Amino acid sequence: MTPNEIIRSVLSFLVLIIFQVLILRQVVLFDTAFCFLYIAAILFLPYEIDSVWLLVICFATGLLIDSFYNTFGVHAAATVLVGYVRPFVLRAQFAQKNVDSRLELTLSQLGFVPFLAYTGSLVLLHHAALFFIETNNIGLFLPTVLKTVASALFTLVAIFLMQLFSKR
Amino acid sequence: MLQLFQFISRSRSFIVFVLLEAFCFVFIVNNSNYWGATYFSTASVLSAKVLETSSAVTQYTNLRQTNEVLAQENRRLNETLVQIRQATPADAPASYKADSAFAKRFRYVAVAKVIQTTTHSPNNYITIDKGLADGVREGMGVLAPTGVVGKVKFANQHQSLIVSVLHSQFKISAKLTRSGEIGFVQWEGRDATAVLLNDVSRYKKVARGDTAVASELNSVFPAGAMIGRVRSVKVNPDQTFYDIVLALSTDFAKLSYVYVVDNKLKTAQETLEQRVDAK
């Protein structure tokens, strides 16, 4: 990675967190669909990042988000889970391809379907973990599933929009 | 031993993962501990500062709604205050008991927004955005938070025209709170910040700075509604009344929200008084 790329990814990371905390925190559709766009900051960290550092970054990000949502550790737990699973998903999906060049985790580089599979699976995992830990009540299974799916759709739309409008 | 270290090295990401998750769940389970509440909640210094700044920005977008809600609240409070004052007047003898229908005769019908106002012509009118549909009727009184504004002249479905205090035909009975003198207020037609208080005898004591409010001899405005303060007191040698100038408490150029006040017994009072003339 060139210094330029490092600065760019650090900046976009921070912008996403600030955007989440200041604006998306207030955006709730129909009381069910939440937008947790900050997970994109984790998903689009460079491919070759060390897995232990990834976990630490996830934990810190989750705690930061938690401190704004007043949900002690819930976001941190879900985000750390995503950080742990991310390398496996990446290896399973993109191990054979792109051996010759560096893998860039963007919509334009990956193509629509692989990108959707990658982001969709991890966003769904994150939201499911998040809402089930938060609810902590199996009696509310169906409402929680609805919330998970609706929020995952919302977040995915936001991620796609973000990718379409980012120059790269 | 070597094998143990190799195992740790190989699965270090799994170990870190389990540790962090365990940490998170400890956090979640005793979520009310002092440490967590201090450093990782919206009460922490960082979050509080950020949220404070962000709400200082977003506050502006809600100001209109907040304004409206406060105006409605004030309307309710004013109505209650007037009813209480009417039921137990401060200067009444102990045996006086107000009739409940009489005490509750003033009703704050609506909160309206001023959409047009003039102060420069000899006869000034104000237009408000509430009309017949909102319960506004001709002849009702109009008050601003700072004092008396005028009287409804015409009302259509959604707007009304108000004769302002700054109108040559507008008269209102006023009382000076400190001296207790009663006179009537009229505008002389030039200065939009001042009105004249007539009919106060020169043999009474009137001090500068005394407050003039709507008197009890008033069927349109509840007694005690603010009008202004005495700005200057003059007396001509050949006249029996003072020339009192009141500085208006309401700035008519800056009116925004006004209350429309109805006196439910006004027509009854007028028909009663007209029976004298009919005879």
Side-chain angles (χ1 to χ4, degrees):
Chain A
M1 280 183 91
T2 64
N4 201 359
E5 276 179 319
I6 293 174
I7 291 171
R8 179 181 282 173
S9 60
V10 168
L11 273 183
S12 64
F13 191 90
L14 290 178
V15 165
L16 271 175
I17 302 289
I18 292 169
F19 190 57
Q20 175 72 45
V21 162
L22 290 185
I23 293 163
L24 293 178
R25 200 167 49 88
Q26 334 253 5
V27 180
V28 182
L29 295 184
F30 314 115
D31 284 338
T32 42
F34 299 78
C35 187
F36 296 117
L37 192 59
Y38 76 92
I39 195 65
I42 303 295
L43 296 186
F44 302 139
L45 282 174
Y47 174 67
E48 55 273 69
I49 192 165
D50 180 67
S51 56
V52 173
W53 276 113
L54 179 64
L55 286 174
V56 173
I57 291 173
C58 286
F59 185 65
T61 310
L63 276 188
L64 188 66
I65 300 293
D66 272 328
S67 75
F68 280 93
Y69 276 79
N70 275 333
T71 50
F72 300 96
V74 177
H75 283 271
T79 314
V80 168
L81 180 65
V82 168
Y84 181 68
V85 174
R86 192 188 104 132
F88 298 108
V89 175
L90 278 176
R91 223 172 293 148
Q93 277 188 323
F94 308 114
Q96 296 84 12
K97 293 173 277 182
N98 286 57
V99 275
D100 46 339
S101 68
R102 228 184 103 239
L103 186 64
E104 271 197 65
L105 298 174
T106 60
L107 177 59
S108 51
Q109 291 289 313
L110 295 182
F112 181 78
V113 177
F115 183 81
L116 181 65
Y118 169 59
T119 50
S121 57
L122 286 181
V123 164
L124 207 58
L125 176 73
H126 171 262
H127 285 29
L130 183 70
F131 286 123
F132 276 101
I133 294 171
E134 196 180 27
T135 315
N136 191 23
N137 182 356
I138 209 70
L140 289 172
F141 182 78
L142 279 179
T144 311
V145 168
L146 176 69
K147 223 167 158 182
T148 305
V149 173
S151 302
L153 281 177
F154 190 9
T155 306
L156 279 175
V157 168
I159 288 177
F160 269 88
L161 284 177
M162 193 182 79
Q163 286 286 321
L164 287 176
F165 284 102
S166 67
K167 272 190 298 181
R168 224 186 271 187
Chain B
M1 202 62 193
L2 186 69
Q3 277 183 335
L4 179 67
F5 282 126
Q6 274 176 342
F7 170 75
I8 290 174
S9 160
R10 236 184 303 120
S11 55
R12 68 201 149 96
S13 90
F14 179 73
I15 292 169
V16 171
F17 166 67
V18 170
L19 277 176
L20 289 179
E21 285 288 5
F23 200 60
C24 288
F25 278 96
V26 167
F27 222 13
I28 293 168
V29 169
N30 44 13
N31 62 4
S32 53
N33 63 22
Y34 174 78
W35 190 77
T38 313
Y39 296 104
F40 295 105
S41 75
T42 46
S44 74
V45 178
L46 171 73
S47 309
K49 266 275 166 289
V50 172
L51 293 179
E52 205 177 286
T53 317
S54 122
S55 86
V57 174
T58 51
Q59 240 174 22
Y60 285 104
T61 58
N62 299 331
L63 275 186
R64 179 187 295 268
Q65 206 195 352
T66 312
N67 221 348
E68 218 128 299
V69 171
L70 284 178
Q72 285 294 346
E73 187 191 21
N74 280 338
R75 184 190 67 76
R76 274 203 317 278
L77 293 176
N78 271 322
E79 188 168 290
T80 319
L81 179 67
V82 165
Q83 282 176 8
I84 291 170
R85 275 199 188 151
Q86 291 287 326
T88 53
D91 52 352
S95 57
Y96 172 78
K97 264 196 99 169
D99 184 67
S100 71
F102 181 76
K104 288 181 179 165
R105 69 193 189 281
F106 285 111
R107 208 159 52 85
Y108 280 65
V109 176
V111 184
K113 207 168 130 185
V114 171
I115 51 179
Q116 208 276 119
T117 172
T118 62
T119 53
H120 299 300
S121 56
N123 293 318
N124 292 295
Y125 296 93
I126 297 164
T127 317
I128 59 170
D129 71 340
K130 293 282 160 71
L132 297 171
D134 307 287
V136 178
R137 297 288 179 274
E138 286 158 20
M140 285 182 178
V142 178
L143 297 170
T146 46
V148 171
V149 169
K151 209 189 271 188
V152 178
K153 177 139 188 162
F154 305 115
N156 69 17
Q157 208 57 27
H158 296 295
Q159 285 117 30
S160 318
L161 191 72
I162 291 156
V163 180
S164 117
V165 173
L166 308 178
H167 187 288
S168 59
Q169 301 300 312
F170 188 91
K171 279 186 188 175
I172 169 175
S173 171
K175 180 183 173 184
L176 293 170
T177 46
R178 221 180 303 162
S179 63
E181 293 307 313
I182 289 179
F184 70 90
V185 161
Q186 202 171 15
W187 192 45
E188 52 166 356
R190 288 193 304 274
D191 184 359
T193 63
V195 286
L196 296 180
L197 178 62
N198 300 321
D199 272 11
V200 178
S201 162
R202 63 181 286 184
Y203 301 107
K204 302 287 165 57
K205 272 192 81 164
V206 174
R208 275 186 63 214
D210 202 351
T211 312
V213 297
S215 76
E216 297 278 356
L217 313 176
N218 213 314
S219 60
V220 177
F221 299 104
M226 184 80 172
I227 296 171
R229 276 173 203 289
V230 176
R231 183 188 281 173
S232 67
V233 186
K234 264 188 292 184
V235 57
N236 281 341
D238 57 339
Q239 280 181 343
T240 51
F241 298 114
Y242 281 118
D243 286 339
I244 300 176
V245 178
L246 297 180
L248 281 169
S249 59
T250 307
D251 185 348
F252 280 79
K254 285 185 190 157
L255 285 176
S256 58
Y257 281 94
V258 293
Y259 307 105
V260 182
V261 185
D262 179 30
N263 178 358
K264 279 188 272 188
L265 299 181
K266 187 169 172 251
T267 34
Q269 186 186 344
E270 277 165 2
T271 38
L272 183 69
E273 285 163 1
Q274 272 162 10
R275 277 164 64 180
V276 178
D277 303 331
K279 286 265 166 73

Short mmCIF file of all heavy atoms in Angstrom, two decimals, chain A residues 114-139:
data_model
loop_
_atom_site.label_atom_id
_atom_site.label_comp_id
_atom_site.label_asym_id
_atom_site.label_seq_id
_atom_site.Cartn_x
_atom_site.Cartn_y
_atom_site.Cartn_z
N PRO A 114 -20.15 -10.81 -6.70
CA PRO A 114 -19.25 -11.13 -5.59
C PRO A 114 -19.28 -10.06 -4.49
O PRO A 114 -19.24 -10.39 -3.30
CB PRO A 114 -17.87 -11.16 -6.26
CG PRO A 114 -18.15 -11.38 -7.69
CD PRO A 114 -19.44 -10.73 -7.98
N PHE A 115 -19.41 -8.80 -4.91
CA PHE A 115 -19.46 -7.72 -3.93
C PHE A 115 -20.69 -7.87 -3.04
O PHE A 115 -20.63 -7.76 -1.82
CB PHE A 115 -19.48 -6.37 -4.66
CG PHE A 115 -19.46 -5.19 -3.74
CD1 PHE A 115 -18.27 -4.74 -3.20
CD2 PHE A 115 -20.63 -4.52 -3.42
CE1 PHE A 115 -18.24 -3.65 -2.35
CE2 PHE A 115 -20.60 -3.44 -2.57
CZ PHE A 115 -19.41 -3.00 -2.04
N LEU A 116 -21.84 -8.15 -3.70
CA LEU A 116 -23.08 -8.32 -2.94
C LEU A 116 -22.97 -9.51 -1.99
O LEU A 116 -23.39 -9.45 -0.84
CB LEU A 116 -24.26 -8.52 -3.90
CG LEU A 116 -25.61 -8.70 -3.23
CD1 LEU A 116 -26.01 -7.43 -2.50
CD2 LEU A 116 -26.68 -9.07 -4.24
N ALA A 117 -22.36 -10.61 -2.49
CA ALA A 117 -22.23 -11.80 -1.63
C ALA A 117 -21.37 -11.49 -0.41
O ALA A 117 -21.71 -11.85 0.72
CB ALA A 117 -21.62 -12.94 -2.44
N TYR A 118 -20.26 -10.80 -0.65
CA TYR A 118 -19.33 -10.47 0.45
C TYR A 118 -19.99 -9.54 1.47
O TYR A 118 -20.11 -9.88 2.65
CB TYR A 118 -18.07 -9.83 -0.16
CG TYR A 118 -17.14 -9.20 0.85
CD1 TYR A 118 -16.58 -9.94 1.88
CD2 TYR A 118 -16.82 -7.85 0.77
CE1 TYR A 118 -15.74 -9.36 2.80
CE2 TYR A 118 -15.98 -7.26 1.68
CZ TYR A 118 -15.45 -8.02 2.70
OH TYR A 118 -14.63 -7.43 3.61
N THR A 119 -20.47 -8.37 0.98
CA THR A 119 -21.05 -7.40 1.92
C THR A 119 -22.34 -7.95 2.53
O THR A 119 -22.57 -7.82 3.73
CB THR A 119 -21.35 -6.06 1.23
OG1 THR A 119 -22.06 -6.34 0.04
CG2 THR A 119 -20.09 -5.31 0.90
N GLY A 120 -23.17 -8.57 1.68
CA GLY A 120 -24.48 -9.04 2.16
C GLY A 120 -24.33 -10.03 3.30
O GLY A 120 -24.98 -9.90 4.34
N SER A 121 -23.44 -11.03 3.13
CA SER A 121 -23.31 -12.04 4.17
C SER A 121 -22.81 -11.43 5.48
O SER A 121 -23.35 -11.71 6.56
CB SER A 121 -22.37 -13.16 3.71
OG SER A 121 -21.12 -12.60 3.36
N LEU A 122 -21.80 -10.56 5.38
CA LEU A 122 -21.23 -10.01 6.62
C LEU A 122 -22.18 -9.00 7.28
O LEU A 122 -22.29 -8.97 8.51
CB LEU A 122 -19.87 -9.37 6.33
CG LEU A 122 -18.77 -10.39 6.10
CD1 LEU A 122 -17.45 -9.72 5.84
CD2 LEU A 122 -18.65 -11.33 7.29
N VAL A 123 -22.88 -8.20 6.47
CA VAL A 123 -23.83 -7.24 7.05
C VAL A 123 -24.95 -7.99 7.76
O VAL A 123 -25.35 -7.64 8.88
CB VAL A 123 -24.39 -6.31 5.95
CG1 VAL A 123 -25.64 -5.60 6.43
CG2 VAL A 123 -23.35 -5.29 5.54
N LEU A 124 -25.44 -9.05 7.10
CA LEU A 124 -26.51 -9.84 7.72
C LEU A 124 -26.03 -10.45 9.04
O LEU A 124 -26.74 -10.42 10.05
CB LEU A 124 -26.95 -10.93 6.74
CG LEU A 124 -28.39 -11.40 6.89
CD1 LEU A 124 -29.34 -10.24 6.72
CD2 LEU A 124 -28.69 -12.48 5.86
N LEU A 125 -24.81 -10.98 9.03
CA LEU A 125 -24.24 -11.57 10.25
C LEU A 125 -24.14 -10.53 11.35
O LEU A 125 -24.57 -10.75 12.49
CB LEU A 125 -22.85 -12.13 9.93
CG LEU A 125 -22.08 -12.69 11.13
CD1 LEU A 125 -22.69 -14.01 11.55
CD2 LEU A 125 -20.61 -12.85 10.82
N HIS A 126 -23.61 -9.37 10.99
CA HIS A 126 -23.44 -8.30 11.97
C HIS A 126 -24.77 -7.87 12.57
O HIS A 126 -24.94 -7.79 13.78
CB HIS A 126 -22.75 -7.10 11.30
CG HIS A 126 -22.72 -5.87 12.15
ND1 HIS A 126 -23.63 -4.86 12.02
CD2 HIS A 126 -21.89 -5.51 13.16
CE1 HIS A 126 -23.35 -3.91 12.90
NE2 HIS A 126 -22.30 -4.28 13.61
N HIS A 127 -25.76 -7.63 11.68
CA HIS A 127 -27.04 -7.14 12.17
C HIS A 127 -27.75 -8.19 13.01
O HIS A 127 -28.36 -7.88 14.03
CB HIS A 127 -27.92 -6.71 11.00
CG HIS A 127 -27.49 -5.41 10.40
ND1 HIS A 127 -26.19 -4.99 10.43
CD2 HIS A 127 -28.18 -4.44 9.75
CE1 HIS A 127 -26.11 -3.81 9.83
NE2 HIS A 127 -27.31 -3.45 9.41
N ALA A 128 -27.66 -9.47 12.57
CA ALA A 128 -28.30 -10.53 13.34
C ALA A 128 -27.68 -10.61 14.73
O ALA A 128 -28.40 -10.62 15.75
CB ALA A 128 -28.16 -11.86 12.61
N ALA A 129 -26.35 -10.63 14.79
CA ALA A 129 -25.67 -10.68 16.09
C ALA A 129 -26.09 -9.49 16.94
O ALA A 129 -26.47 -9.62 18.11
CB ALA A 129 -24.17 -10.69 15.88
N LEU A 130 -26.06 -8.32 16.32
CA LEU A 130 -26.36 -7.08 17.03
C LEU A 130 -27.76 -7.12 17.65
O LEU A 130 -27.94 -6.92 18.85
CB LEU A 130 -26.26 -5.92 16.03
CG LEU A 130 -26.48 -4.53 16.57
CD1 LEU A 130 -25.31 -4.16 17.45
CD2 LEU A 130 -26.59 -3.55 15.43
N PHE A 131 -28.76 -7.43 16.81
CA PHE A 131 -30.14 -7.34 17.31
C PHE A 131 -30.46 -8.45 18.28
O PHE A 131 -31.21 -8.24 19.24
CB PHE A 131 -31.13 -7.32 16.14
CG PHE A 131 -31.13 -6.02 15.41
CD1 PHE A 131 -30.87 -5.95 14.05
CD2 PHE A 131 -31.39 -4.83 16.08
CE1 PHE A 131 -30.86 -4.75 13.39
CE2 PHE A 131 -31.39 -3.62 15.42
CZ PHE A 131 -31.12 -3.59 14.07
N PHE A 132 -29.87 -9.66 18.03
CA PHE A 132 -30.19 -10.75 18.97
C PHE A 132 -29.52 -10.52 20.32
O PHE A 132 -30.10 -10.80 21.36
CB PHE A 132 -29.81 -12.10 18.37
CG PHE A 132 -30.89 -12.64 17.48
CD1 PHE A 132 -30.79 -12.53 16.10
CD2 PHE A 132 -32.05 -13.18 18.02
CE1 PHE A 132 -31.80 -12.98 15.28
CE2 PHE A 132 -33.07 -13.63 17.20
CZ PHE A 132 -32.94 -13.53 15.83
N ILE A 133 -28.30 -9.99 20.32
CA ILE A 133 -27.66 -9.69 21.60
C ILE A 133 -28.42 -8.58 22.30
O ILE A 133 -28.67 -8.63 23.51
CB ILE A 133 -26.19 -9.28 21.39
CG1 ILE A 133 -25.38 -10.46 20.85
CG2 ILE A 133 -25.57 -8.81 22.69
CD1 ILE A 133 -24.00 -10.08 20.40
N GLU A 134 -28.84 -7.59 21.52
CA GLU A 134 -29.53 -6.45 22.11
C GLU A 134 -30.88 -6.86 22.70
O GLU A 134 -31.24 -6.46 23.80
CB GLU A 134 -29.72 -5.38 21.03
CG GLU A 134 -30.07 -4.02 21.59
CD GLU A 134 -30.26 -3.00 20.49
OE1 GLU A 134 -30.62 -3.39 19.37
OE2 GLU A 134 -30.04 -1.81 20.76
N THR A 135 -31.62 -7.69 21.93
CA THR A 135 -32.95 -8.10 22.40
C THR A 135 -32.83 -9.04 23.59
O THR A 135 -33.54 -8.90 24.58
CB THR A 135 -33.71 -8.80 21.26
OG1 THR A 135 -33.54 -8.05 20.09
CG2 THR A 135 -35.16 -8.91 21.60
N ASN A 136 -31.93 -10.06 23.45
CA ASN A 136 -31.68 -11.00 24.54
C ASN A 136 -32.98 -11.68 24.98
O ASN A 136 -33.23 -11.85 26.16
CB ASN A 136 -31.02 -10.27 25.71
CG ASN A 136 -30.51 -11.25 26.74
OD1 ASN A 136 -30.25 -12.40 26.41
ND2 ASN A 136 -30.37 -10.80 27.97
N ASN A 137 -33.84 -12.01 24.02
CA ASN A 137 -35.13 -12.60 24.36
C ASN A 137 -35.60 -13.40 23.17
O ASN A 137 -35.91 -12.84 22.11
CB ASN A 137 -36.12 -11.49 24.70
CG ASN A 137 -37.47 -12.03 25.11
OD1 ASN A 137 -37.70 -13.25 25.08
ND2 ASN A 137 -38.36 -11.14 25.51
N ILE A 138 -35.64 -14.74 23.33
CA ILE A 138 -35.97 -15.59 22.19
C ILE A 138 -37.45 -15.48 21.86
O ILE A 138 -37.89 -15.80 20.76
CB ILE A 138 -35.55 -17.05 22.49
CG1 ILE A 138 -35.20 -17.77 21.17
CG2 ILE A 138 -36.61 -17.81 23.26
CD1 ILE A 138 -33.92 -17.28 20.54
N GLY A 139 -38.24 -14.96 22.78
CA GLY A 139 -39.67 -14.79 22.52
C GLY A 139 -39.93 -13.74 21.46
O GLY A 139 -40.95 -13.75 20.79
#
